[in-house]
Amino acid sequence: MEQLKHECGVAMIRLLKPLEYYHQKYGTWMYALNKLYLLMEKQHNRGQEGAGLACVKMEAKPGEEYMFRERAVGTSAITEIFDNVHNYYRHIPAEQLNDPIYAKTELPFAGELYMGHLRYSTTSKSGLSYIHPFLRRNNWRTRNLAICGNFNMTNVNEIFQDITSTGQHPRHYADTYFILEQLGHRLDREVERLFNKYEAEGLKNPKITRAIEDNIDLTNVMKKTAHTWDGGFIICGVTGSGESFSIRDPWGIRTAFYYADDEIVVLASERPVIQTVMNASMNDIKELQRGETLLINSRGEVKTSQILEPKQLSACSFERIYFSRGSDFDIYRERKKLGKNLVKPILKKIDYDIEHSVFSFIPNTAEVAYFGMLEGLQKYLDQLKATQIAEKGHSITEEELRKILSQRIRNEKVAIKDIKLRTFIAEGNSRNDLAAHVYDITYGSIVPSEDNLVVIDDSIVRGTTLRQSIISILDRLNPKKIVFVSSSPQVRYPDYYGIDMSSMDEFIAFKAAIELLKERKQENIIIDAYHNAKKLQPDANILSINYVKEIYAPFTDEDISKKIARMLSSPNIRAEIEIIYQTIEGLHAACPDHPGDWYFSGNYPTPGGTRMVNQAFINYMEETYFK
């Protein structure tokens, strides 16, 4: 019901044959450009604040441009950047435009190496200057570098210190810029090392340049920089001479998948995107492993290298619950399992009254979990029918049998998103009044005053949309009880690895815990947690204690859920409101290969995450609690 913004999506393409090969086989030299468009468009869900692409022309001659970039902001950025690229070709005669030799020598963005990016900001910073790819220019092709990524670094200060310790003077303070300069500095050193090596062997400058371009190995560059990064990341890069890399964090927090054959190498943030765009089997697509880098040199040779030692697997479970496309084979099954896991608590909340309960979902991203919930409910009902028939035995009448068999799970589309609230409506009272009409209801879908209404969502994080819109609109149906079900556990802690939830007072679960402590006269727990965090923060060497956990320690999950239900209700709501959350155990049972749960459990996989959650709590106390 409340949109969470994910950091970014990435896409890379490397052609392994000349452009004329693709023109002859597929009818166009734009084969890679078209594939990049599809890869980006099918990941539109991952970034709607901006998009960018970079292209490297491998066979450019001195004096010709060989590295191109296009960026745009806004929800239509993908369309805009590709329109801008095609505008370069608009006045080219058809005969020349259909000539791959002419294209690769004369036309911009007619290259063999492409990189695309979709952006969602987690920093509230916007504008073209924040849109990837970031570009570092130099007259040596090997020293030109463009990078993009899906990442948030939790140790920006340390990275800044690493850069300045080498004598550099950064012009901006941002993790993307720092990483670009780190990698660029190491790339410069690697080129210089090779230059000295080949000069000592007697090669002259033009031959030295070719030798460097043929033999540069980005493994050295990655090893000397990546070990300083704390956070979740997929970082991709290309050089002007045609080398490329994609590296995944050692905890496996962020994801990337790649496909390679004898014509092309493709990488994207999600597997089904590659399956669809390349018409590839799931078994032909590989996942980039923890700390692993996919490297392609200027000759098109592909290899993977273990740049960073793998840490304990902490793959982001929110990827499975919410962000990634549900068309992935494994994700589809996992989301259904999340829904099935909730059947027992749902039945308990409705007193096992299937006959007088209607089941639905909001929003569309919760649909797969909804299917799983229905399957679980149907299994329960089938078992109930069998028991009822067995209890009647041979004495069962035809009418009794018909009545038992006619029992069904009642599922309806009870709410439809009707309008999008425009951002220019900012005035409080007007905004709240209009927010109540974002969703419309299906009148007549339940029996007033008799039916329970059970609505499943993929996450209930802030509770804002529930309180301002959903509850009041569903209450118009006059159900006896409304049960809101979250297929994910209670979100209690900020994320610092790429999801835009970073401040404590955003979370309805945190607010509920604070209110419960106040009600029970246990505010000393809040104060003690603050002082403990305050004492800990200056010591960067002690990072293992998350003091925010103390806020939740006195309460069960049910305590928090009941308080949330009370906070979301109001005197003018007639229906009884109940909240059910997935358990963390249920989450791990459904998504066993993605155990990263720090936003639910507070167990951050990296030292920087623990330090930042303590700081977020300190900020909350000093900016809100002590006011």
Side-chain angles (χ1 to χ4, degrees), residues 76-88:
S76 60
I78 299 174
T79 301
E80 184 176 337
I81 60 175
F82 281 91
D83 280 348
N84 290 343
V85 169
H86 284 278
N87 281 338
Y88 289 107

Side-chain angles (χ1 to χ4, degrees), residues 144-265:
N144 278 267
L145 178 65
I147 69 164
C148 71
N150 173 9
F151 63 88
N152 255 24
M153 296 303 173
T154 62
N155 64 331
V156 178
N157 290 340
E158 287 86 349
I159 297 173
F160 177 75
Q161 290 166 10
D162 178 75
I163 293 173
T164 55
S165 69
T166 65
Q168 297 184 70
H169 190 106
R171 294 178 291 113
H172 304 286
Y173 195 91
D175 55 3
T176 307
Y177 181 76
F178 292 166
I179 289 168
L180 177 69
E181 292 304 320
Q182 269 190 311
L183 290 167
H185 173 67
R186 279 296 150 199
L187 186 61
D188 288 345
R189 300 289 78 77
E190 179 66 11
V191 171
E192 288 168 8
R193 183 186 70 82
L194 291 173
F195 183 94
N196 293 333
K197 174 178 182 292
Y198 294 127
E199 186 179 48
E201 292 175 4
L203 296 183
K204 299 300 181 184
N205 283 348
K207 291 185 178 180
I208 291 178
T209 298
R210 286 195 293 272
I212 292 172
E213 291 184 354
D214 287 343
N215 294 286
I216 192 168
D217 186 352
L218 295 182
T219 304
N220 295 333
V221 175
M222 303 308 300
K223 284 183 176 178
K224 291 185 181 296
T225 52
H227 72 277
T228 66
W229 302 337
D230 181 302
F233 54 84
I234 292 293
I235 297 176
C236 305
V238 297
T239 71
S241 52
E243 292 80 26
S244 67
F245 67 86
S246 303
I247 183 169
R248 186 181 186 186
D249 66 81
W251 300 272
I253 296 171
R254 300 271 71 88
T255 60
F257 298 84
Y258 65 95
Y259 166 83
D261 59 26
D262 61 348
E263 294 181 351
I264 195 170
V265 183

Side-chain angles (χ1 to χ4, degrees), residues 83-337:
D83 280 348
N84 290 343
V85 169
H86 284 278
N87 281 338
Y88 289 107
Y89 313 144
R90 187 152 294 167
H91 302 296
I92 304 296
E95 184 178 348
Q96 290 181 319
L97 188 59
N98 290 319
D99 181 354
I101 304 299
Y102 175 83
K104 72 179 182 180
T105 56
E106 302 294 335
L107 298 183
F109 294 96
E112 296 82 9
L113 176 56
Y114 292 88
M115 181 168 68
H117 186 263
L118 302 115
R119 183 176 192 261
Y120 252 145
S121 171
T122 62
T123 63
S124 301
K125 294 178 180 178
S126 59
L128 197 63
S129 61
Y130 294 99
I131 303 297
H132 302 198
F134 276 37
L135 186 59
R136 190 176 192 261
R137 288 291 198 179
N138 193 283
N139 266 355
W140 288 64
R141 292 205 307 177
T142 46
R143 294 189 182 190
N144 278 267
L145 178 65
I147 69 164
C148 71
N150 173 9
F151 63 88
N152 255 24
M153 296 303 173
T154 62
N155 64 331
V156 178
N157 290 340
E158 287 86 349
I159 297 173
F160 177 75
Q161 290 166 10
D162 178 75
I163 293 173
T164 55
S165 69
T166 65
Q168 297 184 70
H169 190 106
R171 294 178 291 113
H172 304 286
Y173 195 91
D175 55 3
T176 307
Y177 181 76
F178 292 166
I179 289 168
L180 177 69
E181 292 304 320
Q182 269 190 311
L183 290 167
H185 173 67
R186 279 296 150 199
L187 186 61
D188 288 345
R189 300 289 78 77
E190 179 66 11
V191 171
E192 288 168 8
R193 183 186 70 82
L194 291 173
F195 183 94
N196 293 333
K197 174 178 182 292
Y198 294 127
E199 186 179 48
E201 292 175 4
L203 296 183
K204 299 300 181 184
N205 283 348
K207 291 185 178 180
I208 291 178
T209 298
R210 286 195 293 272
I212 292 172
E213 291 184 354
D214 287 343
N215 294 286
I216 192 168
D217 186 352
L218 295 182
T219 304
N220 295 333
V221 175
M222 303 308 300
K223 284 183 176 178
K224 291 185 181 296
T225 52
H227 72 277
T228 66
W229 302 337
D230 181 302
F233 54 84
I234 292 293
I235 297 176
C236 305
V238 297
T239 71
S241 52
E243 292 80 26
S244 67
F245 67 86
S246 303
I247 183 169
R248 186 181 186 186
D249 66 81
W251 300 272
I253 296 171
R254 300 271 71 88
T255 60
F257 298 84
Y258 65 95
Y259 166 83
D261 59 26
D262 61 348
E263 294 181 351
I264 195 170
V265 183
V266 176
L267 179 137
S269 294
E270 300 185 29
R271 180 171 63 183
V273 171
I274 301 176
Q275 286 181 254
T276 301
V277 172
M278 299 307 302
N279 191 24
S281 164
M282 181 179 74
N283 296 328
D284 292 331
I285 298 169
K286 298 178 181 178
E287 183 173 3
L288 201 61
Q289 298 302 304
R290 285 171 285 159
E292 188 176 56
T293 299
L294 177 68
L295 295 155
I296 309 172
N297 66 18
S298 60
R299 295 185 298 278
E301 296 168 340
V302 183
K303 71 174 183 177
T304 57
S305 180
Q306 192 68 48
I307 298 296
L308 298 169
E309 180 183 349
K311 308 290 187 182
Q312 182 175 350
L313 178 63
S314 299
C316 174
S317 56
F318 246 122
E319 283 279 357
R320 319 301 280 185
I321 299 167
Y322 183 83
F323 294 119
S324 292
R325 294 167 68 91
S327 56
D328 182 272
F329 176 78
D330 292 327
I331 291 174
Y332 185 78
R333 291 190 306 168
E334 289 168 10
R335 289 183 183 173
K336 288 183 73 174
K337 182 68 182 294

Side-chain angles (χ1 to χ4, degrees), residues 312-546:
Q312 182 175 350
L313 178 63
S314 299
C316 174
S317 56
F318 246 122
E319 283 279 357
R320 319 301 280 185
I321 299 167
Y322 183 83
F323 294 119
S324 292
R325 294 167 68 91
S327 56
D328 182 272
F329 176 78
D330 292 327
I331 291 174
Y332 185 78
R333 291 190 306 168
E334 289 168 10
R335 289 183 183 173
K336 288 183 73 174
K337 182 68 182 294
L338 287 169
K340 286 181 183 178
N341 287 348
L342 294 160
V343 168
K344 286 184 179 180
I346 289 170
L347 290 169
K348 187 175 179 182
K349 289 290 185 186
I350 63 172
D351 297 322
Y352 297 86
D353 187 1
I354 290 288
E355 182 181 355
H356 298 104
S357 297
V358 173
F359 301 89
S360 192
F361 64 95
I362 308 173
N364 289 342
T365 49
E367 188 173 13
V368 178
Y370 170 69
F371 290 150
M373 179 184 73
L374 290 183
E375 284 186 11
L377 289 166
Q378 188 62 54
K379 182 178 179 180
Y380 163 79
L381 185 56
D382 289 344
Q383 292 172 343
L384 179 63
K385 290 178 182 180
T387 301
Q388 291 172 341
I389 293 170
E391 287 174 350
K392 293 288 185 180
H394 295 297
S395 64
I396 191 169
T397 66
E398 184 177 339
E399 184 179 347
E400 289 172 332
L401 180 61
R402 189 180 299 113
K403 184 177 180 181
I404 291 171
L405 294 178
S406 68
Q407 296 175 96
R408 63 183 180 86
I409 302 298
R410 297 168 59 198
N411 53 92
E412 303 285 354
K413 181 81 171 178
V414 299
I416 301 165
K417 195 162 189 178
D418 194 38
I419 63 171
K420 182 176 181 180
L421 193 65
R422 303 304 300 176
T423 55
F424 61 77
I425 303 170
E427 194 271 317
N429 293 331
S430 296
R431 187 175 182 87
N432 290 339
D433 179 59
L434 287 164
H437 299 278
V438 169
Y439 287 87
D440 202 359
I441 51 172
T442 307
Y443 292 97
S445 54
I446 72 170
V447 179
S449 302
E450 289 187 18
D451 285 338
N452 303 306
L453 178 57
V454 180
V455 180
I456 191 168
D457 188 5
D458 38 39
S459 60
I460 301 172
V461 182
R462 302 177 181 97
T464 309
T465 309
L466 275 178
R467 184 171 52 250
Q468 293 181 351
S469 176
I470 301 292
I471 292 177
S472 59
I473 201 79
L474 292 180
D475 193 56
R476 294 181 187 182
L477 293 170
N478 198 20
K480 182 173 62 176
K481 177 189 287 189
I482 305 175
V483 181
F484 291 103
V485 183
S486 171
S487 67
S488 69
Q490 295 170 2
V491 177
R492 298 181 169 191
Y493 304 91
D495 178 77
Y496 298 107
Y497 307 119
I499 305 170
D500 88 342
M501 43 183 187
S502 57
S503 61
M504 298 302 309
D505 58 354
E506 288 186 326
F507 308 122
I508 188 70
F510 179 77
K511 292 177 181 177
I514 293 291
E515 289 301 313
L516 285 172
L517 288 170
K518 290 178 180 179
E519 289 172 8
R520 299 184 184 188
K521 311 299 182 187
Q522 294 178 299
E523 288 186 78
N524 62 296
I525 292 175
I526 305 172
I527 304 299
D528 289 346
Y530 165 74
H531 287 303
N532 287 333
K534 193 81 171 172
K535 283 187 288 187
L536 181 68
Q537 278 306 79
D539 192 343
N541 296 316
I542 307 174
L543 301 169
S544 60
I545 304 172
N546 175 359

